[in-house]
Amino acid sequence: MILINENYTKLPGSYLFSDIARKVNEFKTAHPDANIIRLGIGDVTKPLPQASIEAMHKAVDEMADAATFRGYGPEQGYDFLVNAIVQNDYKDYRLDISTDEVFVSDGSKSDTGNIGDILGLDNIVAITDPVYPVYVDTNVMVGRAGNLQDNGKWSKIVYLPCTAENDFVPSLPTDKVDIIYLCYPNNPTGTTLTKDQLKVWVDYAVENKALILFDSAYEAFITESDVPHSIYEIEGAKEVAIEFRSFSKTAGFTGTRCAYTVVPKTLMGYTKAGEKVSLNKLWNRRHTTKFNGVPYIIQRAAEACYSTEGKKQVKATIDYYLNNAKIIREGLAAQGLQVYGGVNSPYIWVKTPDRMTSWGFFDYLLNELNIVGTPGVGFGPSGEGYLRLTAFGTLDNTKEAVSRLKNISL
Ligand code: PLP
């Protein structure tokens, strides 16, 4: 008899984006001529940097010649990419990360989801709320989350609300936790932590022998100087934090797939008997056993993002999205709406007017202005009363959406 992992049966269906799609389709059927603008998607729209395209073409040609063909590569990533990562993302920021602390992968979704493989099931997990759903669902899958309660929360997960009331800065938990997921710049709120605010968490983790899983997928969007680019800028972080970075939003690799995870060698976990074990060693074992490396061609494309030309092209795209974010932020604020994020992030988090629910505001924007957002409640209970807009659309569509928002009448 095939016994299943029953934790999967606890997972509610992932209805958020299918519900949005259903509502948009119904609206389109009823109003076939409506020009709908989608500001809900978290996917990029600009193409890859030209430097990456050229590097990929060259790498493809290498694969056609027996002398330069590559088969299985090192699971942790080719030296050329790992060296570029260490130099540009760490050494250039005077951060001491070594090449054997970097693990190249096919995405931060996989890595933030898989990291739990090397962590005990009895750990108490804390998440910020609202949150990128992968952190919660992957803990449900292994049985670390408990049961879903009527209030929309999992019984064993500690929720750290991030709302306008606390300036989107999570408070330390009152009960002791062992694993803390932090994502900054944040998806979905678009907000950040300053170095001092992040230090509070690193200090907590050091004091409580806790682990911080720091998702930095939106690092490239940071514009303000007091926002850390890496958690390792904070003293003590190399003893308590794993950092996840991705080329997806940085350089348009959402469909191309390349990311990396840093697991410092100084980071220790513990056996139940209290014996120290290197998490770097465990992750290396897991990664080399369950993963066979990112394709050579793709790693060459990622490496090219760090060339002089590549850096210019990446920056131009990020600037384009950040300009969209500014247009949205300022346009909404001019209508008297409360807006957050969008300064160090492609996400704009809007407080719904007149105590509307997230879905109520979603329906209003779709039906009256033909704009699609993402209801904040879809990211967790504390997202109720908010809506997420993204800056990943085209400039023309962004401007058109903002001009429609001038007709908002609530
Ligand atoms: N982490 C966060 C917070 C994200 O928002 C996303 C994508 O939307 C990811 C990770 C996924 O990154 P990747 O494309 O590298 O899997």
Side-chain angles (χ1 to χ4, degrees), residues 42 106-110 112 132 135 183 185 187 215 217-218 245-249 253-254 257-259 347 388:
D106 66 344
S108 290
K109 185 179 197 175
S110 335
T112 54
Y132 177 55
Y135 314 151
C183 170
N187 177 17
D215 187 345
Y218 298 93
R245 296 258 192 123
S246 172
F247 292 91
S248 284
K249 308 299 162 80
F253 276 57
T254 52
R257 311 306 304 147
C258 195
Y347 296 123
R388 191 190 74 173

Side-chain angles (χ1 to χ4, degrees), residues 331 334-335 369 371 399-409:
Q335 296 310 304
L369 306 181
I371 295 171
K399 283 184 176 163
E400 168 63 19
V402 168
S403 83
R404 288 186 199 172
L405 286 163
K406 294 200 176 114
N407 301 324
I408 209 164
S409 57

Side-chain angles (χ1 to χ4, degrees), residues 67-235:
T68 49
F69 167 79
R70 314 274 180 138
Y72 291 126
E75 291 94 341
Q76 301 90 336
Y78 283 103
D79 283 350
F80 61 79
L81 178 56
V82 174
N83 287 334
I85 288 168
V86 166
Q87 184 62 46
N88 289 278
D89 291 344
Y90 295 99
K91 291 221 156 80
D92 285 358
Y93 287 86
R94 287 197 231 135
L95 298 174
D96 179 25
I97 294 295
S98 58
T99 51
D100 53 358
E101 295 177 313
V102 174
F103 297 85
V104 173
S105 78
D106 66 344
S108 290
K109 185 179 197 175
S110 335
D111 286 353
T112 54
N114 289 328
I115 196 74
D117 276 17
I118 63 165
L119 302 168
L121 293 181
D122 294 335
N123 285 302
I124 304 292
V125 171
I127 53 137
T128 54
D129 173 27
V131 76
Y132 177 55
V134 171
Y135 314 151
V136 175
D137 290 1
T138 52
N139 277 293
V140 174
M141 288 171 179
V142 295
R144 225 182 263 120
N147 294 308
L148 187 57
Q149 307 168 118
D150 290 344
N151 60 6
K153 296 182 180 178
W154 293 89
S155 57
K156 284 196 193 159
I157 288 191
V158 173
Y159 287 73
L160 309 166
C162 295
T163 60
E165 284 68 40
N166 63 5
D167 255 338
F168 301 95
V169 178
S171 299
L172 290 175
T174 43
D175 294 331
K176 195 173 162 323
V177 301
D178 308 299
I179 299 171
I180 305 147
Y181 289 84
L182 295 178
C183 170
Y184 290 99
N186 188 259
N187 177 17
T189 66
T191 60
T192 51
L193 294 184
T194 62
K195 284 183 192 158
D196 287 347
Q197 288 164 341
L198 187 54
K199 184 173 183 307
V200 170
W201 286 94
V202 171
D203 290 349
Y204 174 91
V206 170
E207 219 163 277
N208 292 280
K209 293 199 170 79
L211 171 65
I212 297 176
L213 298 174
F214 192 73
D215 187 345
S216 198
Y218 298 93
E219 178 274 337
F221 292 84
I222 294 173
T223 58
E224 293 180 315
S225 60
D226 63 344
V227 178
H229 286 257
S230 164
I231 193 165
Y232 304 120
E233 289 176 38
I234 314 296
E235 204 191 324

Side-chain angles (χ1 to χ4, degrees), residues 3-15:
L3 295 176
I4 60 155
N5 175 349
E6 292 188 27
N7 293 312
Y8 277 66
T9 65
K10 295 184 183 178
L11 282 167
S14 177
Y15 296 123

